[in-house]
Amino acid sequence: MPDESRGRVYLRAADEQLEGTYEPPMPLPEYVDRALDNPTIAANAARYLLAAIESQGTRTVVERGEERRRYRFFDDPFNDGEHAVLGNTKPLNAFVDDLRTIAAGRGKDEKIVWIDGPTATGKSELKRCLVNGLREYSKTPEGRRYTLEWNISGAGGNERGLSYGEETENKDDDWYKSPVQIHPLSAFPRPVRTDLLADINDQSEYPISVDADLDPFSREAYDYLEKQYRSEGRAELFSAITDPEHLRVTNYIVDVGRGIGVLHAEDDGSPKERLVGSWMAGMLRELDSRGRKNPQAFSYDGVLSQGNGLVTIVEDASQHADLLRRLLNVPDERRVKLDKGIGMDLDTQLIVISNPDLDAELDQYADQNGSDPLKALKRRLTRHEFKYLTNRRLEAELIRRELLGETGVGDDTLAQAEDDAESDISASRQRNGSRRGPTSEQSSDSTSAASAAAPSSTNDGVRDSLRDAVRLDVRDERGRTHQRELAPHAIGAAATYSVVSRLDGDDLPPGISLVEKALLFEQGYIGDGDDRRDVSEFDFDGEDGQTGIPVTYTRDVIADLLQGDTDRSHPNLDVSGVRMPEDLLEAMMKGLKDAPVFSRAEAAEFENRLPAVREFIRSRQREDVLDAMLAHAGVTEATVAEYVEHVYAWDADEPVESSRSEEPIEPDPLKMKVFETEHLGRFSTADYDGDRPRSSVRDFRRQTVIRALTRYAWQNRGEGFSVADVDLAAIPELREVLEANDWDDVRRHFPDFDPHEWNDPPEGTETEQVKELTLDQMETQGYSRASAELTSRVVVRSIAEGW
């Protein structure tokens, strides 16, 4: 049947997913042989965590305007970026550097990694990213993680295994794994283990150490076997104890509870229960261990037991402040006690995650100087501070994730800022051939505001998180579905406002606004050509990213805004379902005073920063409308290229190669004049003697055009370079010709255009024709007809008064 066939497809997919994940258990000598060939499988906790992070490689990102190397592991590549840690590359790299130092044996073994920062800065995402990444890495051949499992049944005539309950006839049920993922090499006596590790480390990049002896559960099995075979007089005692009938090495998939311990804020119990586990009173009566507690009756469900062998995470550490001092001896001694008579060695990387309120806990005795009882704890904590994002593009990605469930973090997430080449305050877009092509809309439906969206994308398939529109369906309280659109630049407006709220305004150089500072942090520069200023020219030493509007606030404001209708209307278009950038900004500003997360001073400061953001977004909208109006009237790259060739030949007094003639032709003075007067609009006929340029034109050609070409040729020098190799859009002086539209161009091309008639232009007028062409073009740029109508109205209204 068809349903059964589809079911088998899913079963087969599940089989393929698990294929190769698990290995058959192996004898201890076979594991030793593998470790000698591939030391990574014997790595201790810090070394394994480092290997997992490094296994995904790195990529280059731009943060605070500077290029940085980022480990792809923190992009959650195994889950398409679902729990990627956006931004905060600097503290993440410092965390990896700590692991590298520990793995290399150069210190910091006693340190506890402390991830600190405000709410919604990615700390919990780091935890999920670690869990996801380590789980998936342990499924790979190079990331195998191994432990021991025991079977004492049959030794000395004993038929009872390690089971807590009744015996079974299935002998496979007599095998029990170490409950704390003990390292396989822990089975060897220390002197032998030392020699073995020396041989392994001859082949290892990082020294591998196994300082932990067998855990209490495994020691119980080992001691029982040793007692039985010693009483029998076995000569090769260790071989008998570790015989494949009793001991074997098995791989396990790393996950929470097995290699990863996570203590959540809501977890309760005594400190010992939370850290290592508890005794099961009923089992103590069942299991006699020569007059003492039997470790088989211990639960091993504490966070350190679960995280032994890899990583232990204390989430929301301020809720477990009483445990932090009890963790002091763990990194130092690598040992805890089940009770006063039974101890357990540990190999785990300790990580505590907290909001800034942990600072208050740690500093409560700070004024007591040398009598501070928390001084030893603070000395062991290595702090890595997460901050709010200060990159607009990343913030837009985060808003989309929070609001729509979008995932995925690619190389273009940050690099796209360079592609957009926002010039000075104004971003510019290529148009028609040489210009950036119009965006195209991907149509798809969604069923809820929280789960699906249909963003538009650029021609090359890269999603522009700042600019793209989002279309989704929202259900009201009656179950009816309504179409909603977050217009182009709406998400970008919210992201820009959030980032600007987080920037320190005290370190702004003269003439630099907060919006420009945001652009510097995003792309590393502002301006173009001789006016270009790189972030390295500025000394931004303020507290950027420590306070500001969190993404959770923005998400909730947008979610509320999507419900209900607006009071907009149009005879033919559903404009009531469109949420414009100004709608988002206004709603974010209005909610500041009532939001408990902001103080009155913060709300007032954030409100004062809104006008600059509003004007910045308005400039983006103006560019879109102008580009659409002049899409079919602008100069093409071929025209610019022809002009450049003629200018270059004119200066060198050389002929120009022509596609229309087999013979080279002389530079055409009329073509150059027409380009300079009509397309550039820089000169008039008074600047020429007939077609011959006067000094002002000659200086422009040499000092602006040829100088730009020479600079470009030098920067891109190589064998066989020619004018034909020049990327005209890469030269600021020429890009202005290709990209810069203004209202004077509109006046020149459409002399009868009247912006006052835009909302309802009379039939048959040039204004009606221009509007129709503009809205059509805006639809190819990712706008819906409704959002194009609203955006064009806002833009044209702003210029109508001075027309």
Side-chain angles (χ1 to χ4, degrees):
M1 295 179 62
D3 288 345
E4 292 178 342
S5 177
R6 288 196 295 269
R8 291 193 185 97
V9 169
Y10 285 107
L11 286 175
R12 187 161 53 253
D15 289 337
E16 293 172 356
Q17 183 71 25
L18 292 178
E19 184 179 359
T21 297
Y22 294 97
E23 296 176 353
M26 72 183 82
L28 185 60
E30 182 179 338
Y31 172 79
V32 172
D33 289 338
R34 289 195 187 185
L36 288 167
D37 292 335
N38 178 19
T40 302
I41 70 168
N44 52 331
R47 175 67 187 99
Y48 183 86
L49 180 52
L50 177 63
I53 293 171
E54 291 180 333
S55 69
Q56 299 305 302
T58 62
R59 64 185 178 97
T60 300
V61 298
V62 177
E63 290 185 21
R64 290 180 63 92
E66 300 174 355
E67 285 192 357
R68 290 175 179 161
R69 184 183 64 173
R70 178 180 175 86
Y71 291 93
R72 295 177 184 271
F73 181 91
F74 299 115
D75 296 334
D76 197 17
F78 297 106
N79 293 277
D80 192 29
E82 180 180 359
H83 297 296
V85 183
L86 298 181
N88 285 300
T89 297
K90 186 175 181 179
L92 289 173
N93 286 349
F95 166 51
V96 177
D97 288 342
D98 283 349
L99 294 177
R100 189 172 288 108
T101 300
I102 296 170
R106 293 193 296 266
K108 291 196 175 182
D109 298 55
E110 80 286 357
K111 294 294 186 179
I112 300 173
V113 174
W114 177 17
I115 306 296
D116 181 42
T119 302
T121 51
K123 302 185 304 297
S124 294
E125 297 304 308
L126 173 60
K127 178 205 71 176
R128 297 184 182 98
C129 191
L130 287 170
V131 173
N132 290 341
L134 292 171
R135 181 198 302 120
E136 298 304 320
Y137 181 62
S138 69
K139 296 177 182 179
T140 64
E142 60 274 13
R144 291 280 192 264
R145 205 64 174 149
Y146 298 91
T147 189
L148 299 175
E149 57 181 357
W150 298 85
N151 183 355
I152 65 170
S153 178
N158 175 43
E159 295 300 327
R160 182 181 179 86
L162 292 167
S163 171
Y164 295 156
E166 298 296 329
E167 293 302 309
T168 66
E169 295 184 2
N170 188 348
K171 295 304 180 183
D172 286 339
D173 292 337
D174 290 335
W175 285 97
Y176 291 90
K177 289 182 180 179
S178 163
V180 294
Q181 307 78 236
I182 195 64
H183 197 291
L185 297 185
S186 296
F188 286 94
R190 279 189 175 268
V192 178
R193 193 192 317 161
T194 300
D195 293 339
L196 174 55
L197 288 171
D199 286 343
I200 291 175
N201 286 328
D202 285 341
Q203 314 296 324
S204 179
E205 176 185 2
Y206 289 90
I208 292 174
S209 61
V210 182
D211 296 327
D213 289 329
L214 288 174
D215 61 279
F217 181 91
S218 298
R219 174 56 62 183
E220 190 73 13
Y222 185 100
D223 288 347
Y224 176 83
L225 293 168
E226 180 183 14
K227 177 182 178 182
Q228 297 301 321
Y229 287 118
R230 187 182 296 277
S231 66
E232 294 179 6
R234 286 287 187 97
E236 297 176 341
L237 188 58
F238 185 78
S239 295
I241 295 170
T242 60
D243 185 276
E245 291 185 358
H246 299 305
L247 175 68
R248 60 191 187 187
V249 179
T250 184
N251 77 300
Y252 63 93
I253 303 303
V254 172
D255 210 335
V256 175
R258 184 165 289 278
I260 302 176
V262 179
L263 188 62
H264 299 93
E266 64 272 15
D267 291 340
D268 56 12
S270 69
K272 182 170 291 185
E273 288 175 329
R274 281 177 284 165
L275 287 176
V276 290
S278 60
W279 296 100
M280 296 176 284
M283 296 313 303
L284 287 174
R285 294 190 294 269
E286 297 288 333
L287 298 170
D288 175 60
S289 189
R290 297 172 294 283
R292 63 178 177 83
K293 292 180 180 178
N294 192 318
Q296 295 168 233
F298 197 76
S299 67
Y300 297 99
D301 58 0
V303 65
L304 291 173
S305 300
Q306 295 179 23
N308 187 49
L310 195 44
V311 62
T312 297
I313 302 172
V314 179
E315 194 175 31
D316 202 358
S318 60
Q319 301 298 315
H320 298 285
D322 60 324
L323 290 186
L324 295 183
R325 273 184 281 179
R326 295 176 180 266
L327 287 172
L328 283 178
N329 292 332
V330 173
D332 279 348
E333 300 179 8
R334 301 283 174 175
R335 187 172 178 83
V336 293
K337 287 187 175 182
L338 277 58
D339 70 358
K340 61 183 179 180
I342 302 177
M344 179 173 70
D345 291 338
L346 289 173
D347 175 28
T348 188
Q349 179 59 55
L350 283 167
I351 300 175
V352 298
I353 298 175
S354 76
N355 293 326
D357 50 4
L358 181 59
D359 281 335
E361 292 281 347
L362 296 174
D363 290 340
Q364 57 181 311
Y365 306 108
D367 57 353
Q368 298 183 18
N369 299 321
S371 301
D372 185 353
L374 298 177
K375 188 175 182 179
L377 172 61
K378 289 189 284 188
R379 180 175 61 82
R380 285 168 172 81
L381 289 169
T382 299
R383 184 176 184 175
H384 301 295
E385 187 176 7
F386 276 26
K387 297 182 179 181
Y388 289 121
L389 296 174
T390 56
N391 182 293
R392 297 185 313 126
R393 200 166 295 279
L394 278 183
E395 182 67 15
E397 293 281 345
L398 186 56
I399 292 172
R400 286 172 175 269
R401 177 201 289 179
E402 290 285 330
L403 186 70
L404 308 164
E406 291 183 1
T407 61
V409 177
D411 292 340
D412 296 313
T413 300
L414 289 175
Q416 194 172 346
E418 183 75 19
D419 294 337
D420 283 348
E422 289 179 312
S423 172
D424 220 348
I425 286 291
S426 300
S428 52
R429 296 188 181 278
Q430 295 177 325
R431 299 179 294 278
N432 279 357
S434 67
R435 302 170 173 82
R436 179 177 305 147
T439 57
S440 60
E441 179 184 340
Q442 295 175 344
S443 59
S444 65
D445 295 326
S446 63
T447 56
S448 73
S451 63
S456 56
S457 62
T458 54
N459 272 6
D460 55 6
V462 177
R463 184 182 68 192
D464 188 337
S465 58
L466 284 167
R467 184 187 183 280
D468 285 350
V470 172
R471 297 174 185 87
L472 60 158
D473 291 336
V474 175
R475 295 186 186 278
D476 62 18
E477 67 278 1
R478 299 182 180 179
R480 297 174 300 186
T481 300
H482 301 275
Q483 181 80 30
R484 294 287 182 265
E485 177 188 0
L486 295 175
H489 302 293
I491 296 293
T496 302
Y497 189 31
S498 298
V499 166
V500 166
S501 76
R502 301 165 185 172
L503 300 179
D504 191 331
D506 294 335
D507 61 353
L508 285 177
I512 298 295
S513 69
L514 284 171
V515 172
E516 287 176 299
K517 184 176 181 180
L519 293 177
L520 280 166
F521 280 7
E522 177 187 347
Q523 61 191 26
Y525 67 92
I526 54 174
D528 269 325
D530 295 336
D531 296 327
R532 174 168 170 148
R533 303 184 69 183
D534 292 327
V535 71
S536 58
E537 300 177 29
F538 305 96
D539 184 17
F540 295 123
D541 56 359
E543 300 298 327
D544 300 296
Q546 288 198 335
T547 61
I549 298 175
V551 69
T552 48
Y553 172 82
T554 305
R555 174 201 63 199
D556 294 343
V557 167
I558 298 176
D560 290 342
L561 196 61
L562 289 169
Q563 299 296 329
D565 292 322
T566 65
D567 57 0
R568 298 188 183 101
S569 62
H570 189 279
N572 303 316
L573 300 173
D574 181 19
V575 294
S576 66
V578 178
R579 302 296 181 266
M580 298 289 287
E582 49 266 37
D583 296 335
L584 270 63
L585 293 175
E586 188 71 15
M588 290 177 69
M589 185 271 291
K590 285 184 176 179
L592 292 173
K593 293 180 180 179
D594 297 329
V597 295
F598 306 120
S599 66
R600 290 183 179 180
E602 285 178 323
E605 176 62 25
F606 299 160
E607 186 174 343
N608 290 336
R609 297 185 180 190
L610 179 63
V613 175
R614 183 185 288 121
E615 176 53 32
F616 175 76
I617 298 302
R618 183 64 52 79
S619 70
R620 306 281 80 75
Q621 294 173 314
R622 281 197 293 268
E623 289 166 4
D624 285 354
V625 173
L626 271 170
D627 287 357
M629 279 187 178
L630 299 169
H632 304 290
V635 59
T636 66
E637 183 170 340
T639 303
V640 178
E642 184 180 39
Y643 168 73
V644 168
E645 287 182 332
H646 281 252
V647 167
Y648 215 84
W650 163 84
D651 182 63
D653 195 20
E654 295 178 351
V656 178
E657 297 290 338
S658 174
S659 59
R660 299 170 187 160
S661 172
E662 295 182 0
E663 297 295 327
I665 62 174
E666 293 298 316
D668 190 331
L670 179 59
K671 284 186 177 180
M672 289 184 280
K673 177 182 177 181
V674 169
F675 187 91
E676 291 159 348
T677 55
E678 295 187 7
H679 295 312
L680 285 180
R682 295 190 63 136
F683 304 102
S684 67
T685 55
D687 295 300
Y688 301 83
D689 286 329
D691 293 339
R692 295 174 56 192
R694 295 184 184 272
S695 60
S696 58
V697 180
R698 292 197 301 270
D699 289 344
F700 168 76
R701 292 179 183 177
R702 291 192 173 103
Q703 298 301 320
T704 301
V705 178
I706 295 177
R707 181 182 176 187
L709 285 168
T710 303
R711 183 173 62 244
Y712 182 91
W714 173 254
Q715 293 171 347
N716 299 272
R717 59 191 179 276
E719 293 184 7
F721 181 85
S722 68
V723 178
D725 300 322
V726 176
D727 179 4
L728 297 174
I731 300 176
E733 295 85 351
L734 299 179
R735 186 166 63 241
E736 290 178 5
V737 180
L738 291 167
E739 300 175 351
N741 282 328
D742 59 30
W743 295 106
D744 287 337
D745 295 324
V746 176
R747 292 176 188 271
R748 187 167 66 253
H749 289 289
F750 309 112
D752 294 328
F753 170 70
D754 185 356
H756 301 89
E757 298 176 342
W758 184 266
N759 287 2
D760 188 18
E763 186 175 351
T765 62
E766 187 172 50
T767 303
E768 182 192 42
Q769 297 172 1
V770 171
K771 181 173 183 178
E772 209 49 37
L773 288 172
T774 300
L775 297 187
D776 288 345
Q777 185 66 24
M778 289 179 72
E779 285 190 272
T780 71
Q781 296 174 350
Y783 285 83
S784 69
R785 196 72 174 188
S787 61
E789 173 73 28
L790 293 177
T791 302
S792 66
R793 284 187 178 190
V794 168
V795 170
V796 175
R797 183 171 62 244
S798 68
I799 60 98
E801 184 176 345
W803 192 257

